[in-house]
């Protein structure tokens, strides 16, 4: 399974938010810590709703936390 | 290890115990020819009903025991029981794997019947397919949780 084409700055945002733990972020958005880990490592793409919730925790816009990495042009 | 992964591990253990014990009894009865009588299908059906009931009891016991042992082993008095969107996605994919494997068992059973095998043999094949499907689905979920496949 290829990694989802969405990068994120969650780890940086957590650090900037007073070194928020993954567990604390998970509790705020209602998911497991393992899901936050998977999102941070770009192993899982969150739903749009969850992505908005994560961005809202840090007081940022969606595009400031998540970035879509388009696939290269097909030969 | 989150709640749904713990459930998957518990389910694999419970399924293995259930099908080894009850499946072994059904296999033994098949080999002994107990189902090769006029009353054979009815006896087979009763043994499968016992398998289903016993499986439910074993699953409940194993699941509870696994959760307790996990909490003790990891010193987590209040483990999380959250099921989130990622768990739902992994569960859905696990069900797909289960359906594929169980369907293969059904198709094999139909082929067996078409080639002249008896009903009990075909029914046992369906049973094995369902057992394999259940375990395969849970193993797939564990693999996704562990290795992000």
């Amino acid at each position: 399974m290829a990694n989802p084409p969405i990068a994120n700055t969650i780890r940086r945002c957590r650090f900037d938010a007073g070194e928020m733990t993954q567990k604390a972020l998970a509790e705020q958005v209602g998911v497991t810590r393992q899901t936050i880990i998977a999102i941070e490592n770009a192993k899982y793409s969150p739903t749009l709703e969850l992505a908005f919730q994560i961005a809202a925790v840090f007081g940022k816009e969606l595009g400031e936390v998540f970035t879509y990495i388009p696939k290269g042009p097909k030969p | 290890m989150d709640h749904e992964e713990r459930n998957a591990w518990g389910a694999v253990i419970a399924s293995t115990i259930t099908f080894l014990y009850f499946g072994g009894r059904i296999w033994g009865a098949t080999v002994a020819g107990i189902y090769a009588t006029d009353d054979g299908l009815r006896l087979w059906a009763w043994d499968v009903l016992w398998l289903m009931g016993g499986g439910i009891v074993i699953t409940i016991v194993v699941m509870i025991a696994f959760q307790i042992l996990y909490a003790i082993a990891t010193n987590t008095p209040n483990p999380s029981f959250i099921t989130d969107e990622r768990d739902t996605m992994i569960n859905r994919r696990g069900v797909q794997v289960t359906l594929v494997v169980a369907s293969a068992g059904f198709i094999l059973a139909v082929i067996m019947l078409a080639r002249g095998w008896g009903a009990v043999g075909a029914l046992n094949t369906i049973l094995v397919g369902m057992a394999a499907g259940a375990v395969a689905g849970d193993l797939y979920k564990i693999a996704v949780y562990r290795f992000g496949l």
Side-chain angles (χ1 to χ4, degrees):
Chain A
M1 181 186 299
N3 286 347
I6 297 178
N8 65 82
T9 59
I10 295 176
R11 189 169 289 133
R12 178 70 195 186
C13 291
R14 287 195 296 109
F15 181 82
D16 292 341
E19 297 186 9
M20 180 188 295
T21 64
Q22 292 169 330
K23 181 180 179 183
L25 175 59
E27 289 174 352
Q28 289 205 43
V29 297
V31 299
T32 63
R33 187 176 69 89
Q34 286 75 17
T35 294
I36 295 297
I37 293 171
I39 295 172
E40 283 190 2
N41 294 327
K43 297 293 185 184
Y44 171 70
S45 288
T47 59
L48 197 57
E49 179 180 354
L50 178 58
F52 271 112
Q53 289 174 343
I54 292 173
V57 168
F58 302 118
K60 295 179 181 289
E61 296 296 323
L62 186 66
E64 295 180 83
V65 181
F66 294 94
T67 306
Y68 175 69
I69 303 174
K71 297 177 184 177
K74 293 183 180 180
Chain B
M1 191 186 300
D2 67 11
H3 172 52
E4 289 297 332
E5 185 183 356
R6 296 197 300 273
N7 279 347
W9 280 105
V12 167
I13 295 170
S15 295
T16 302
I17 294 173
T18 299
F19 285 104
L20 279 180
Y21 177 70
F22 289 98
R25 288 168 58 93
I26 291 174
W27 176 253
T30 302
V31 171
I34 293 176
Y35 303 135
T37 62
D38 292 339
D39 213 27
L41 284 178
R42 188 183 69 84
L43 295 173
W44 182 90
W46 271 110
D47 285 344
V48 172
L49 286 174
W50 276 110
L51 180 151
M52 293 165 63
I56 291 172
V57 172
I58 290 172
T59 297
I60 291 172
V61 171
V62 168
M63 289 294 206
I64 292 174
F66 192 86
Q67 296 284 357
I68 292 173
L69 290 173
Y70 173 83
I72 293 173
T74 59
N75 194 25
T76 312
N78 295 307
S80 169
F81 290 98
I82 294 174
T83 297
D84 61 19
E85 59 177 52
R86 178 171 161 264
D87 295 320
T88 302
M89 179 200 75
I90 294 172
N91 278 333
R92 195 180 308 127
R93 291 184 180 173
V95 169
Q96 290 173 341
V97 171
T98 296
L99 287 175
V100 167
V101 176
S103 298
F106 175 78
I107 292 171
L108 181 59
V110 171
I111 293 173
M112 290 169 63
L113 288 172
R115 292 182 63 84
W117 283 66
V120 171
L123 288 170
N124 280 342
T125 300
I126 292 174
L127 201 59
V128 171
M130 293 174 68
V135 174
D138 289 321
L139 287 177
Y140 174 83
K141 289 193 288 186
I142 290 171
V144 173
Y145 279 119
R146 291 283 107 188
F147 308 112
L149 293 177

